[in-house]
Amino acid sequence: MHGTVGNSKFTQSILDIVNLIDGKSPLQDSLFEEASVFFENQETDQKRLTTLDTEIQRLTKAVQSSNKKTASLSTDALKKAKLKFKKEKDLQEQERLKRLRRVSEIGEKIIRLSESEDWEKTQTSSARMLGTLHLLCPTEGFKVLQTKQRFKPAYKSILAMRLLDKLLDKNQIDSSYISARYDSNARYTDARTELTPFQIDVAIPIITAAIFQDIGLLHPKAQEILKGRDGKRDEYAVLDKETRIELLKTNYKYTLEYVKYGLGMEQYVGNSKPERAEFIAKEEQKLKLTVDLLVGAQKPKNGIGNLIKIPQIYASFIFSAKPDQTLFDLPKAGLLITKAAKQSSLSELAVDSLLKILGHFPQGYGVTYIAENPDGTKSDSFEYAIVVELNPENIFEPVCRIATKNLTFVGNGSTMVIPAKRNLYYPEPRKQLERIDPERLKLILKKLVSNYEERKDLELIPSHWDPHTFFQYEKLQNLWKN
């Protein structure tokens, strides 16, 4: 098609984020692997500390014994027990801090990739990251459902941040903590400078909540519900109501437990009592924000929980684990969250805000549209385009990068708004092409889809197309160029 298959530097950086969050490695150092290890060892680690503490209490009483020999022997044993307890406590604390700092590092990477020096450039950066995540994620093949789940956390976190900005702009954030730290003139930073206080104190806690929203599903109890005791049950099978409720409760319980105790707060280093008190208070507020988001997402209505709940529902539809969902269904994600808002499950204002950001066509979605003749009249052909911009003027008319011109794939297509009257996703424009000779339509498809096995299953007038293969070519990955 265009050069060789490969990843640009930016595309690789997005894949790296996906793997840093939910990758598999011998070191077990992705965020989700670290959470799994924590859950697996949590009970044993706690028992170890409890046993040592019990021994310290026993020896403390023995030291106070009237028997001098017993007291003398116990004194030495007590020192050793306390030292052993401290070493174990310190070891567990260092592991916790290591996990927490990894979260902060990855949160910063997401911010650097999805935000820029001002609002306008941030929209482009976020569109690029959202689109890249969507285009990289396969739609078929080996373990495709598992792969989709790995792309969701980063996607959700970006949606949460763009929704946050939109609601802040409307002065519609129900959080004194966030509002007190928001300054529109100091909201963003460029790649050469440190993160702003807002990005550190607000953005990273929100990103943390979005990433770990369902981390409790990795707890052994949740895994048993999903996969059965023998681990052979299909984890994506539909659960009955009672089992699903049990799973939701388990997920919620252990998600909060992990965020509070598996991650917790940063550690103060220094000797100043006032600085220490200020530092701890600040860390407590950041942790509280993450916890409040997770708690609020259970029944968000008009509260702060909408910041992560709406992106969760939207992203779960885009990266659905349902095997029967198709690419045609993806633009219905907006309808799904709109329906939830009308049922009072979500904030209508927040849902409307996210739809205005995204439109009805997800970033990276493959649009097919009726081409125009040089004189502006509709032709008897169609072309391919890819959604590349946020904040469309009309949520039903996406801003796209042209992917084909005269039925030939191009790497330097212009940007254009695809009018609803020419967008083949909608029934009326498709009807307009039905008058064309089917042989002519087959010829068009032959030029656009070289693989016969793929082409034979396509509609003669396709409502959409899959740009996943197109995006595998490095030269075609810079869809967001000026």
Side-chain angles (χ1 to χ4, degrees), residues 132-413:
T132 300
L133 284 165
H134 177 70
L135 288 161
L136 284 174
C137 187
T139 55
E140 58 185 11
F142 182 66
K143 291 190 174 181
V144 65
L145 299 182
Q146 291 90 330
T147 302
K148 285 183 177 183
Q149 300 311 298
R150 295 177 58 234
F151 280 76
K152 273 170 54 176
Y155 196 90
K156 285 193 299 176
S157 66
I158 304 163
L159 294 184
M161 292 310 303
R162 299 293 68 80
L163 179 58
L164 170 69
D165 284 346
K166 192 79 168 178
L167 294 175
L168 280 169
D169 185 57
K170 293 181 178 181
N171 197 27
Q172 293 290 340
I173 281 290
D174 184 23
S175 168
S176 57
Y177 174 84
I178 294 176
S179 298
R181 284 154 183 77
Y182 177 62
D183 177 356
S184 59
N185 296 317
R187 167 64 183 85
Y188 304 104
T189 187
D190 60 39
R192 298 181 299 273
T193 56
E194 295 181 354
L195 297 186
T196 65
F198 183 89
Q199 289 171 325
I200 294 170
D201 297 338
V202 176
I204 287 182
I206 292 175
I207 289 171
T208 301
I211 287 175
F212 292 104
Q213 195 169 2
D214 293 312
I215 202 66
L217 293 178
L218 295 182
H219 191 278
K221 290 183 179 179
Q223 287 292 296
E224 185 176 321
I225 296 172
L226 285 168
K227 298 180 180 180
R229 290 188 177 182
D230 59 3
K232 295 180 179 180
R233 183 188 300 162
D234 178 10
E235 62 183 306
Y236 300 107
V238 177
L239 302 174
D240 60 66
K241 184 178 179 181
E242 185 177 333
T243 305
R244 177 169 170 74
I245 290 174
E246 182 186 1
L247 180 65
L248 291 172
K249 288 180 177 179
T250 303
N251 175 42
Y252 177 62
K253 174 183 177 180
Y254 291 110
T255 291
L256 287 180
E257 198 164 288
Y258 184 71
V259 168
K260 289 179 180 178
Y261 309 114
L263 298 177
M265 304 186 303
E266 185 53 85
Q267 187 179 66
Y268 173 73
V269 178
N271 300 313
S272 169
K273 288 185 178 180
E275 282 183 6
R276 177 185 176 84
E278 182 181 349
F279 180 89
I280 291 175
K282 185 177 180 180
E283 288 298 306
E284 286 176 341
Q285 288 177 315
K286 286 161 64 177
L287 178 57
K288 185 177 184 301
L289 174 58
T290 299
V291 171
D292 285 349
L293 286 163
L294 293 167
V295 173
Q298 299 305 300
K299 294 182 179 179
K301 294 187 178 179
N302 294 316
I304 193 176
N306 282 285
L307 280 177
I308 61 170
K309 186 62 179 180
I310 297 173
Q312 180 191 40
I313 295 173
Y314 185 91
S316 294
F317 196 87
I318 299 301
F319 298 101
S320 176
K322 296 180 179 179
D324 58 342
Q325 181 166 304
T326 66
L327 287 173
F328 178 79
D329 297 318
L330 299 192
K332 300 174 185 177
L335 301 176
L336 181 69
I337 57 176
T338 299
K339 182 179 179 181
K342 288 181 178 178
Q343 294 173 342
S344 299
S345 299
L346 303 171
S347 160
E348 285 194 50
L349 175 68
V351 165
D352 182 64
S353 295
L354 188 66
L355 280 179
K356 286 181 178 177
I357 295 168
L358 297 171
H360 276 284
F361 293 86
Q363 295 300 300
Y365 192 74
V367 173
T368 53
Y369 68 100
I370 299 174
E372 278 189 344
N373 294 314
D375 61 1
T377 59
K378 292 180 182 178
S379 76
D380 61 351
S381 183
F382 57 84
E383 302 280 4
Y384 286 174
I386 300 173
V387 182
V388 294
E389 286 190 19
L390 298 173
N391 310 296
E393 288 189 18
N394 183 332
I395 61 175
F396 297 101
E397 299 188 338
V399 184
C400 297
R401 178 75 67 181
I402 302 307
T404 64
K405 188 174 183 179
N406 298 324
L407 304 180
T408 302
F409 284 96
V410 295
N412 58 348

